[in-house]
Amino acid sequence: MLMGCALGMLSFTACTDGYEVEPVENFTLDYVFSTTDSVGTQAVQYLNNIYRHLSNRHNFVGGDYLDAATDDAISIYYDDSEVYKLAMGRYTANNRVAADIDWGTYYTTIREATVFIANIDRVPFKLTYVRPDETRVDGNGELLGTPLNVTMKAEARFLRALAYFELVKRYGGVPLLGERVFELEDDMEVPRNTFAECVEYIVSELDKAKVDLRGLPMTGSDPTNYAAAVNREACAALKSRVLLYAASKLFNEAPVQAGNELVGYASYDRNRWQLAADAAWEFMTTYGHLGAGNIRLNNDFRSTFLNYYSGENTELIWFVQGEIGGTNLERINGPLGFTGNALGQGRTLPTQNLVEAFPMRDGKPIGQSDKYTYDVRSQYDNRDPRLDMTVLHNGSSWLGRQLVTYQNGSNNPTSSALYTRTSYYMAKFMKNYADGSTREYQQSNHPWVVLRYAEILLNYAEAKNEVLGAPDQSVYDCIVELRRRAGIEPGANNLYGLKAGMSQDEMRQIIYNERRIEMAFEEQRYYDIRRWKIAGDVFAQPVRGLSITNRDGQLNFAENDLLNVQWNNRRYLYPIPYSEVLKNSNMVQNPNW
């Protein structure tokens, strides 16, 4: 499984107490954290169970991607899906959408991680590992090992910090339980901590955990042997994300209720952007392309989502193990109109809004290029190559043929109950099936990539731009790196479509859009438009598709409005579950819920 499989790389002889197989939750602490178990068999299983709370987020929200609750996609089930209810705000504190791992599951993770941290040192591990910063040597000059429980404790500490962050980005400040494990007879009416206290705690926990974790690269021939074990680079990357969110407008400049320190800071402080920039810069110069580390952008954008840790995937920082050697992702999201192993359900439908966000091949926005003409009839020509790696459209090459997505075309049977209302399908996370060398889906790995290096570059660019009055070269360099990898043309000035001498706001808009297209379908857009506090502006415009008709061989293109979302600012944060407010007199509900 997870941590246990990470240990699969190590060879050892078990020397443990005798036991009968039963669910780990039924074990006593003395049994799980046995003082005579030199291998830690049950302790490893206990940590595995904490890892299992992490989700493979492919098609996770009732069968859909979370991005289908933004302006980037809709579900093929349109107005009869959980993600549709989420997009339209059809939920309350008492009637919640099954759209995410909820409050209770995150607190279960927190409790179990705290139990593990408090008890793992009782296990007398004979197994050791070499910490990345180890300098001590034995009599033979070999680096000294550290008992394995040290890194396991750090993994649990990271998982606890991650659970708190997932709560905070949804709800604002939440109760911090520290090292206390509550029992049924305890007074559990714990008040919410302030947003500031939560961020400070999460960052301090990540700093502690990083010291004792193993580092990349994780090696091994079988991905099941090292899947998703937390590493020190993941700590540094998550810290970058946490500080970026904390500096963002929703929490730093304009919380949903001014003066309410449960939902944001008491006052704006530009230095929070500096802290976020510093965290990203530290990653780039320690582990990334500006330092001696192993993390780099992959030359091939697609490979980031298909390979586990390997020489072919230098961009991956941390992932949750998904499908290994399967075709489920393709069969769920692939285009309609194929048969057999190539049969797709077309679940995820990108929007015209997203398609128009991709620039032309020279990096200029559509309609602003001096080199390439944009016309709706040939709108997919000469575009940012990431468009074809993210979205399938009419005329796309796929499994040996060109897609026909006009109304009642072979890949858009509009006479049936389910069809693509946008004329698009999702291509991201899949192999390149455009070359026609295969006519069916091939078995692939589909890890859910939680943290990758492209995000670090975007985090730095955004934070540094907010610190400065105008973007400096380091901000430009991050966007240039991403565009160079994407295949954007450098142009005469080697700025890859960027204008020299941009203002802070001009660069801000570039960064927002670059993040949108680079991180599409990775659960970034949903939270980005909230933390930037632009959701009201985004949804003031309809969510659009493209209607293509074929009249005597002549294709006609017309945009069509699919969703008109009535945004309410209270939706910038989720409501605290009503059950929590009911049973805890100290629990304060979020504003206007």
Side-chain angles (χ1 to χ4, degrees):
M1 295 303 294
L2 295 169
M3 177 59 195
C5 289
L7 298 182
M9 292 182 294
L10 307 172
S11 60
F12 54 84
T13 302
C15 178
T16 184
D17 305 329
Y19 64 93
E20 297 179 359
V21 176
E22 61 175 309
V24 69
E25 62 267 21
N26 293 340
F27 295 164
T28 66
L29 290 180
D30 287 341
Y31 179 64
V32 174
F33 302 102
S34 171
T35 58
T36 60
D37 182 0
S38 63
V39 173
T41 304
Q42 298 306 322
V44 168
Q45 184 179 343
Y46 191 97
L47 183 57
N48 280 346
N49 286 342
I50 302 174
Y51 270 103
R52 288 190 185 100
H53 294 310
L54 300 171
S55 300
N56 167 19
R57 310 268 318 172
H58 289 297
N59 294 101
F60 180 77
V61 184
D64 292 297
Y65 282 91
L66 182 62
D67 286 48
T70 74
D71 56 339
D72 280 358
I74 65 169
S75 171
I76 198 170
Y77 287 92
Y78 193 47
D79 59 357
D80 186 31
S81 63
E82 292 295 294
V83 79
Y84 171 82
K85 297 173 187 175
L86 189 63
M88 302 300 286
R90 296 184 180 176
Y91 54 87
T92 67
N94 196 38
N95 184 21
R96 300 166 63 76
V97 175
D100 209 342
I101 294 179
D102 207 357
W103 177 282
T105 304
Y106 285 122
Y107 270 108
T108 297
T109 299
I110 290 165
R111 176 188 170 84
E112 291 178 358
T114 303
V115 168
F116 188 89
I117 291 167
N119 291 280
I120 187 59
D121 286 341
R122 296 160 55 180
V123 180
F125 275 102
K126 290 184 178 178
L127 289 168
T128 63
Y129 75 107
V130 177
R131 288 168 37 164
D133 60 348
E134 184 63 83
T135 58
R136 299 171 302 145
V137 295
D138 61 18
N140 297 319
E142 299 290 335
L143 290 173
L144 286 173
T146 299
L148 201 63
N149 52 357
V150 175
T151 190
M152 293 172 68
K153 181 189 288 189
E155 289 175 55
R157 192 178 297 279
F158 173 95
L159 296 174
R160 184 172 67 179
L162 175 63
Y164 274 121
F165 173 65
E166 293 297 332
L167 287 165
V168 167
K169 79 178 185 182
R170 290 163 171 79
Y171 301 100
V174 297
L176 296 174
L177 305 182
E179 304 303 320
R180 183 175 179 183
V181 178
F182 285 85
E183 304 298 340
L184 288 177
E185 64 274 10
D186 292 338
D187 177 8
M188 289 182 281
E189 294 200 12
V190 181
R192 296 172 66 178
N193 286 78
T194 67
F195 178 82
E197 289 169 340
C198 290
V199 171
E200 181 180 359
Y201 175 79
I202 293 166
V203 170
S204 67
E205 288 292 285
L206 292 173
D207 285 341
K208 290 177 186 176
K210 186 177 71 171
V211 174
D212 293 323
L213 287 168
R214 290 168 288 182
L216 292 178
M218 297 279 192
T219 57
S221 59
D222 182 352
T224 61
N225 277 344
Y226 51 91
V230 175
N231 55 70
R232 61 175 180 169
E233 289 84 353
C235 273
L238 183 58
K239 178 180 176 179
S240 170
R241 184 185 291 181
V242 171
L243 290 173
L244 185 79
Y245 272 65
S248 298
K249 188 172 184 177
L250 177 60
F251 301 112
N252 187 19
E253 183 179 347
V256 292
Q257 187 176 71
N260 184 345
E261 294 187 57
L262 296 178
V263 297
Y265 290 107
S267 60
Y268 175 75
D269 185 350
R270 177 183 277 189
N271 188 56
R272 295 188 184 108
W273 284 115
Q274 185 64 59
L275 293 174
D278 290 346
W281 184 257
E282 180 181 3
F283 192 104
M284 292 159 60
T285 55
T286 304
Y287 309 115
H289 75 293
L290 299 179
N294 301 296
I295 309 298
R296 302 285 189 278
L297 292 180
N298 289 326
N299 291 328
D300 177 17
F301 179 76
R302 282 191 179 92
S303 67
T304 306
F305 311 101
L306 296 171
N307 294 318
Y308 292 87
Y309 299 130
S310 70
E312 297 177 358
N313 198 351
T314 60
E315 188 169 341
L316 185 58
I317 298 172
W318 187 56
F319 64 95
V320 171
Q321 182 174 296
E323 185 177 27
I324 297 177
T327 60
N328 285 336
L329 188 146
E330 289 83 359
R331 292 168 68 89
I332 292 172
N333 300 289
L336 301 173
F338 292 88
T339 59
N341 180 264
L343 178 68
Q345 300 172 25
R347 183 79 190 222
T348 303
L349 309 177
T351 61
Q352 185 68 18
N353 310 60
L354 175 61
V355 169
E356 291 177 0
F358 288 86
M360 304 304 291
R361 184 174 286 274
D362 62 357
K364 302 291 186 180
I366 58 174
Q368 297 182 28
S369 172
D370 296 327
K371 184 176 182 181
Y372 298 113
T373 301
Y374 177 83
D375 184 271
V376 68
R377 290 166 296 182
S378 57
Q379 62 178 298
Y380 314 116
D381 297 340
N382 299 312
R383 299 292 295 278
D384 180 337
R386 285 173 293 188
L387 174 58
D388 282 335
M389 290 186 276
T390 304
V391 177
L392 297 174
H393 53 78
N394 188 69
S396 289
S397 297
W398 196 250
L399 293 175
R401 74 189 206 202
Q402 285 193 322
L403 295 183
V404 180
T405 66
Y406 54 72
Q407 290 186 16
N408 228 24
S410 58
N411 301 111
N412 193 16
T414 50
S415 58
S416 66
L418 298 176
Y419 60 95
T420 171
R421 296 171 185 267
T422 68
S423 297
Y424 299 118
Y425 296 103
M426 187 185 76
K428 196 165 183 179
F429 310 126
M430 302 185 204
K431 283 184 176 181
N432 182 7
Y433 291 105
D435 61 4
S437 61
T438 178
R439 303 301 173 90
E440 61 182 24
Y441 292 126
Q442 300 173 337
Q443 291 189 344
S444 303
N445 296 328
H446 294 298
W448 176 256
V449 177
V450 181
L451 296 162
R452 65 183 178 100
Y453 192 49
E455 182 188 346
I456 302 298
L457 299 180
L458 288 163
N459 291 354
Y460 176 80
E462 181 182 340
K464 191 66 174 179
N465 187 59
E466 296 299 333
V467 171
L468 302 172
D472 67 3
Q473 189 60 46
S474 69
V475 175
Y476 273 86
D477 287 347
C478 289
I479 306 303
V480 164
E481 281 289 314
L482 292 168
R483 291 186 166 204
R484 181 188 295 120
R485 187 270 292 276
I488 297 289
E489 295 170 349
N493 59 2
N494 284 314
L495 289 180
Y496 292 80
L498 301 177
K499 186 180 77 173
M502 278 190 282
S503 69
Q504 182 191 60
D505 186 61
E506 286 175 322
M507 179 58 84
R508 181 185 295 124
Q509 300 311 314
I510 290 289
I511 293 167
Y512 283 7
N513 195 70
E514 197 74 22
R515 192 175 183 100
R516 178 184 189 179
I517 60 179
E518 173 71 27
M519 309 297 290
F521 302 111
E522 297 179 54
E523 295 200 347
Q524 297 273 351
R525 180 72 174 168
Y526 183 86
Y527 292 106
D528 283 343
I529 63 175
R530 284 161 171 76
R531 68 179 180 84
W532 294 330
K533 217 173 181 187
I534 64 169
D537 295 331
V538 167
F539 288 120
Q541 306 300 319
V543 178
R544 295 174 287 121
L546 189 68
S547 177
I548 311 174
T549 55
N550 183 355
R551 296 180 181 176
D552 300 323
Q554 179 68 40
L555 295 184
N556 297 286
F557 297 79
E559 294 182 5
N560 56 319
D561 295 348
L562 298 172
L563 293 179
N564 287 285
V565 177
Q566 301 300 312
W567 180 259
N568 187 313
N569 284 343
R570 73 177 186 172
R571 291 175 57 198
Y572 278 115
L573 294 175
Y574 282 150
I576 305 293
Y578 177 68
S579 58
E580 297 297 322
V581 177
L582 191 65
K583 67 188 180 185
N584 182 354
S585 61
N586 291 317
M587 182 65 69
V588 178
Q589 182 57 276
N590 273 334
N592 301 314
W593 285 103

